[in-house]
């Protein structure tokens, strides 16, 4: 994003508002002292020594960066103390001012900065002398006693404080008041340094007063102190740089959104590298557009979608794939110096962001701030280190974005999938508008299966893609089109009422019926349209969609092909209600049977446990699908009893296996509604104690989509179950929304990849990529991975190659009743002794 421009930086001419008063004050004081001391120039030799010492003392120990400027912390208080003691006031001003003038001329400062620094030195020295004269100590002095120490200390600190205020004042004049306040705050520690330097100067004075030969020793000591201070400052800068690089990496780690990466990165990089600009450029890639954002030193309002870096420099980085530093310290890129100067820049570092062998962007810093500094080789290394982390963050964020996009979109048509359409519909029904309804139109494509069987799946996919494209074109700007099933498309929009929705559905169906070219054939494709509207036909998205599907099924036999929902279509729902009483009797009379499906370790083919699955044969309707009677149990309050029946049966068999020295673990499915019952963990503890089964032998599998709706409410029960020692597994992983966002919050031990991904991974590269990504993410979180739906040797080999630990599916065995499971174990496995007991190993996978 680009931010609004802040107030423009003022011209350096404004510095004269501070420079002129300082110069006038210094000149007036100098003239006054000259007029009252006719022999002041007789001390020229001592003044020369003090000036030389002051020049030597201006060697920079460390720097403070304020905005675009760098301010050096020096040790000039030592020669100042000696000058204030030995020199007449006029000579002291001349010596210190001459030293400042020569030093800044050597550093080639521009006129405004040179004038300010010379005027400041004259003014602060004059201020110190005025303080001394005011308390009756007019230099030169002859008694180096405690009273003199105190006066010299106060005078030197007056110099430091006046200099500090003058610097803050000129920053306020040239930049802004905020920068001036920052200078006042950042420069406060220099007053402590000045106090220490003043005390050192007083020690020098006392020693010199004892013997003049001490000057030689003190000169050596001064040199050693400067070297030590510079070494310490270098170590401190290295430590600070490492700490700041670490903070940048932490910020990158915590930022999972690609769009927010520049916000957390550029300001930190600019401050770390002490640069005027920091720019992030990312090349366009697939769905990801080009990114070009810049942080500037004087602008705190946001980022800018411009960059000062010449395009030729960026092109060279992309071409060569390594860093391109330009400046006085880098001879290898001298051919780009003219390009840089023509852009008004003095130095620059641009480093590539690499993904494997491909350069996906650049990270650039421009114009090292400060009067005496430029980028060096060490800065290149620091920026390359940061760029490595940035490239990883970009790739990770794009991977997460891709997984999230895939989770909400159909790969074939790029339309929103069922999950995304349900979420959008949920948002729509939250907003009630007078005289409007939220319409759901479900288009079921007739004949798509015939196309698959006669012309192949590629032709069928092309047909579906053509239907999707047409629906997008005829739905209108206010509608959302999605693919929610194999040959089912959904359109949701606002309409005036049920009649208007039916008319719209009829028009859309007619426009969709035109001939479609599939390969060498032209087909007339028909659709059946089911209609449901909020609030007439339901108050929640699932109900509306379910009833639209019922209506679409009914529309298939109608000549006009459009059917609004009406209650008579809910035959299956009525049937479910009809078996509710029978389910209660079946639970009370132990008529439910528990089947067991083996779970096998892929590395060594050990059968480590089974999943417990309820089955029910109705006396009149025959075998009832588990999803039907589980749904009935949920709606009629019998789910807790059903779960207890399955868990008790599993614990009973688990105890038998433990007694037979053949320990197998069990896994039991849990509904989010069961976890909402605060008494459930207590029931689990009681059953574990009753059957004397170790908690680690029990795994509860909780469906991810079911958890997401009540995540905050089910977490307490999850933590209590974990504290009991049982294992927790996220079932159907990958089918719910925001899997990655919630995975770290859940106290789980394993994830179970949904069979829809596992079954398709051998033929669908998208499913394969999702399974691979889930296994990699689970490893990062230290979780066990279970793959359900393993039905082929190829799938088994792929899972084993990816490092999946456990498999479950028809390739090993279907769910079996206990007696048939025992027979299967005897026929298909062989015993293998281990310290934990007998383990059953598959003889072969058939």
């Amino acid at each position: 994003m680009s931010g609004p421009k802040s107030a423009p930086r003022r011209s350096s001419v404004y510095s004269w508002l501070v420079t002129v008063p300082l110069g006038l004050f210094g000149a007036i004081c100098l003239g006054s002292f000259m007029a009252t001391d006719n022999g002041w120039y007789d001390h020229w030799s001592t003044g020369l020594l003090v000036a030389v010492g002051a020049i030597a003392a201006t060697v920079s120990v460390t720097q403070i960066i304020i905005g675009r400027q760098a301010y050096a912390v020096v040790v000039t208080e030592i020669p100042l103390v000696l000058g204030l003691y030995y020199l007449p006031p006029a000579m002291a001003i001349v010596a210190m001012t001459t030293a400042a003038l020569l030093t800044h001329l050597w550093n080639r400062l521009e006129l405004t900065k040179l004038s300010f620094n010379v005027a400041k030195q004259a003014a602060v020295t004059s201020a110190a002398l005025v303080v001394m004269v005011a308390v009756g100590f007019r230099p030169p002095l002859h008694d180096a006693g405690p009273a003199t120490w105190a006066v010299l200390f106060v005078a030197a600190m007056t110099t430091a404080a006046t200099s500090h205020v003058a610097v803050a004042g000129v920053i306020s004049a040239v930049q802004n008041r905020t920068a001036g306040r920052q200078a006042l705050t950042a420069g406060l520690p220099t007053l402590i340094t000045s106090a220490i330097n003043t005390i050192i100067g007083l020690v020098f004075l006392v020693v010199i007063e004892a013997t003049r030969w001490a000057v030689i020793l003190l000169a050596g000591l001064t040199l050693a102190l400067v070297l030590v201070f510079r070494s310490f400052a270098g170590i401190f800068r290295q430590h600070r740089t490492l700490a700041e690089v670490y903070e940048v990496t932490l910020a990158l780690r915590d930022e999972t959104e690609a769009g927010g990466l520049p916000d957390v990165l550029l300001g930190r990089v600019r401050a770390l590298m002490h640069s005027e600009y920091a720019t992030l450029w990312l090349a366009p890639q697939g769905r990801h557009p080009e990114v070009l954002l810049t942080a500037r030193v004087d602008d705190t309002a946001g980022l800018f979608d411009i960059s000062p870096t010449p395009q030729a420099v960026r092109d060279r980085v992309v071409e060569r794939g390594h860093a391109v530093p330009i400046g006085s310290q880098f001879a290898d890129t001298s051919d780009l110096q003219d390009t840089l100067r023509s852009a008004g820049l003095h130095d620059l570092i641009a480093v590539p962001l690499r993904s494997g062998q491909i350069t996906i962007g650049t990270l650039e810093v421009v114009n090292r701030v400060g009067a005496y500094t430029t980028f060096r080789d060490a800065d290149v290394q620091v920026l390359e280190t940061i760029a490595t982390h940035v490239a990883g963050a970009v790739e990770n964020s794009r991977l997460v974005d891709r997984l999230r996009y895939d989770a909400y979109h159909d790969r074939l048509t790029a339309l929103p999938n069922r999950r995304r359409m349900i979420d959008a519909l949920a948002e729509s029904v939250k907003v009630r508008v007078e005289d409007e309804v939220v319409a759901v139109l479900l288009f079921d494509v007739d004949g798509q299966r015939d196309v698959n069987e006669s012309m192949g799946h590629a032709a069928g996919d092309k047909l579906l893609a053509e239907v999707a494209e047409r629906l997008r074109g005829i739905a209108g700007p206010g509608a959302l089109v999605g693919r929610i099933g194999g040959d089912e498309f959904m359109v949701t929009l606002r309409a005036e009422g049920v009649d208007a929705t039916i008319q719209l559905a009829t028009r859309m169906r007619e426009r969709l019926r035109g001939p479609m070219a599939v390969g060498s054939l032209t087909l007339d494709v028909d659709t059946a349209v089911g209609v449901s509207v909020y609030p007439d036909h339901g108050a929640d998205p699932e109900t509306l969609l379910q009833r639209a599907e019922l209506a679409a099924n009914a529309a298939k036999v109608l000549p006009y092909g459009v059917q609004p929902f009406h209650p008579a279509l809910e035959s299956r729902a009525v049937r479910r209600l009809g078996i509710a009483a029978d389910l209660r009797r079946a639970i009370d009379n132990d008529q439910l049977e528990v089947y067991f499906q083996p779970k096998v370790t892929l590395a060594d083919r050990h059968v480590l446990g089974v999943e417990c699955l309820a089955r029910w044969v109705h006396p009149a309707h025959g075998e009832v699908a588990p999803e039907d009677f589980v749904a009935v149990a949920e709606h009629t309050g019998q789910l807790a009893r059903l779960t207890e029946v399955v868990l008790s049966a599993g614990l009973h068999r688990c105890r038998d296996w433990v007694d037979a020295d053949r320990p197998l673990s069990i896994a039991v499915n849990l509904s989010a509604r069961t976890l909402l019952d605060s008494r459930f963990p207590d029931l689990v503890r009681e059953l574990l104690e009753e059957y004397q089964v170790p908690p680690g032998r029990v795994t509860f599998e909780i469906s991810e989509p079911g958890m997401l709706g009540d995540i905050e409410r089910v977490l307490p029960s999850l933590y209590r179950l974990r504290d009991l020692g049982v294992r927790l597994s996220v079932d159907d992983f990958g089918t719910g929304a925001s899997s990655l966002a919630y995975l770290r919050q859940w106290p789980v031990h394993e994830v179970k990849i949904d069979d829809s991904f596992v079954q398709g991974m051998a033929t669908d590269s998208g499913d394969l990529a999702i399974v691979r990504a889930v296994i990699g993410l689970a490893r990062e979180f230290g979780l066990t991975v279970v793959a359900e739906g393993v039905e082929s040797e190829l799938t088994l080999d792929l899972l084993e190659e990816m490092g999946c630990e456990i498999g479950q599916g028809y390739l090993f065995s279907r769910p079996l009743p206990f007696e048939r499971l025992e027979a299967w174990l005897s026929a298909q496995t062989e015993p293998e002794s281990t310290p934990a007991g007998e383990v059953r190993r598959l003889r072969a996978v058939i």
Side-chain angles (χ1 to χ4, degrees), residues 13 33 54 129 145 151 177 179 277 311 395 407 422 438 511 561 582 594 609 614 645 655 691 746 780 813:
V13 175
F33 288 132
L129 289 165
V151 172
R177 292 182 180 179
Y277 300 95
Q311 186 61 41
E395 286 299 286
I422 289 291
V438 178
R511 294 179 61 185
D582 298 333
V594 176
V645 167
R655 179 70 257 170
Y691 290 98
W746 297 341
E780 290 296 324
S813 172

Side-chain angles (χ1 to χ4, degrees), residues 502-553:
I502 295 173
Q503 294 174 9
L504 175 63
T506 303
R507 290 196 301 268
M508 291 179 64
R509 177 176 177 271
E510 289 301 319
R511 294 179 61 185
L512 196 61
R513 292 181 67 187
M516 297 183 185
V518 179
S520 59
L521 300 179
T522 300
L523 304 178
D524 288 324
V525 178
D526 200 1
T527 57
V529 187
V531 176
S532 66
V533 299
Y534 167 85
D536 301 61
H537 300 149
D540 61 89
E542 292 289 354
T543 301
L544 290 170
L545 181 55
Q546 175 194 0
R547 291 177 173 176
E549 289 176 333
L550 290 174
N553 289 331

Side-chain angles (χ1 to χ4, degrees), residues 64-67 71 164-172 175-190:
I64 299 172
I65 305 297
I66 305 295
Y71 302 95
H164 181 52
V165 172
V167 170
V170 78
I171 292 175
S172 297
Q175 297 188 28
N176 51 61
R177 292 182 180 179
T178 301
R181 287 193 294 269
Q182 291 177 353
L184 279 175
T185 303
L188 289 177
T190 64

Side-chain angles (χ1 to χ4, degrees), residues 235-541:
I235 294 173
F236 176 76
R237 282 195 298 270
Q238 291 177 2
H239 174 76
R240 184 178 61 187
T241 299
L242 289 174
E244 291 177 347
V245 170
Y246 178 67
E247 290 178 0
V248 171
T249 59
L250 287 182
L252 293 176
R253 183 197 67 183
D254 295 336
E255 181 56 48
T256 59
E257 297 289 342
L261 183 63
D263 295 304
V264 303
L265 170 70
L266 292 179
R268 290 178 170 89
V269 170
R270 191 209 57 73
L272 171 61
M273 302 300 296
H274 301 306
S275 61
E276 184 177 355
Y277 300 95
T279 297
L280 175 67
W281 172 72
L282 297 175
Q285 186 181 57
R287 296 186 305 104
H288 305 285
E290 181 182 21
V291 174
L292 180 64
L293 291 172
T294 299
R296 191 166 62 184
V297 64
D298 286 339
D299 298 293
T300 58
L303 304 179
F304 293 80
D305 53 358
I306 58 174
S307 171
T309 304
Q311 186 61 41
V313 176
R314 190 174 295 130
D315 291 342
R316 179 170 295 190
V317 175
V318 175
E319 176 187 352
R320 299 187 177 181
H322 59 70
V324 175
I326 309 172
S328 60
Q329 301 293 316
F330 309 107
D332 294 343
T333 55
S334 57
D335 59 309
L336 292 173
Q337 286 281 8
D338 292 339
T339 303
L340 209 62
R341 292 193 191 98
S342 63
L345 310 175
H346 60 77
D347 56 358
L348 175 151
I349 302 175
V351 297
L353 304 178
R354 299 183 62 83
S355 174
Q357 300 299 317
I358 302 174
T359 298
I360 61 174
T362 60
L363 183 62
E364 306 153 5
V365 290
V366 179
N367 286 356
R368 178 86 172 200
V369 297
Y372 313 109
T373 55
T374 185
F375 290 124
R376 301 179 182 273
D377 289 332
D379 297 312
V380 179
Q381 295 173 3
V382 171
L383 195 61
E384 285 180 328
T385 300
I386 296 174
T388 301
H389 291 284
V390 173
V394 170
E395 286 299 286
N396 290 339
S397 64
R398 286 181 173 179
L399 173 61
V400 171
D401 180 70
R402 181 64 191 179
L403 290 173
R404 185 178 291 115
Y405 180 86
D406 289 345
Y408 283 97
H409 290 80
D410 174 56
R411 295 182 64 85
L412 175 63
T413 63
L415 291 176
N417 61 12
R418 186 186 191 94
R419 187 182 312 135
R420 175 70 184 91
M421 296 299 294
I422 289 291
D423 292 344
L425 189 56
E427 293 299 320
S428 297
V429 300
K430 288 180 181 178
V431 181
R432 187 77 177 267
V433 179
E434 190 71 23
D435 297 329
E436 278 191 358
V437 297
V438 178
V440 177
L441 312 181
L442 192 138
F443 291 79
D444 192 313
V445 181
D446 291 339
Q448 197 264 342
R449 178 177 298 179
D450 296 335
V451 174
N452 286 341
E453 293 176 353
S454 60
M455 304 177 62
H457 285 276
D461 290 345
K462 188 174 182 180
L463 172 64
L464 292 174
E466 178 67 22
V467 171
E469 190 63 29
R470 287 201 181 182
L471 271 178
R472 258 194 296 249
I474 66 178
L480 180 64
V481 181
R483 182 187 178 203
I484 62 172
D487 56 0
E488 292 182 336
F489 295 84
M490 171 181 165
V491 179
T492 178
L493 72 164
R494 291 187 176 272
E496 295 179 358
V498 177
D499 293 338
T501 302
I502 295 173
Q503 294 174 9
L504 175 63
T506 303
R507 290 196 301 268
M508 291 179 64
R509 177 176 177 271
E510 289 301 319
R511 294 179 61 185
L512 196 61
R513 292 181 67 187
M516 297 183 185
V518 179
S520 59
L521 300 179
T522 300
L523 304 178
D524 288 324
V525 178
D526 200 1
T527 57
V529 187
V531 176
S532 66
V533 299
Y534 167 85
D536 301 61
H537 300 149
D540 61 89

Side-chain angles (χ1 to χ4, degrees), residues 18 22 116 120 124 158-172 180 183-184 187-188 190-191:
V18 180
L22 291 175
F116 167 74
K120 175 173 69 72
V124 299
T158 300
T159 300
T162 305
S163 176
H164 181 52
V165 172
V167 170
V170 78
I171 292 175
S172 297
L184 279 175
L188 289 177
T190 64
L191 298 179

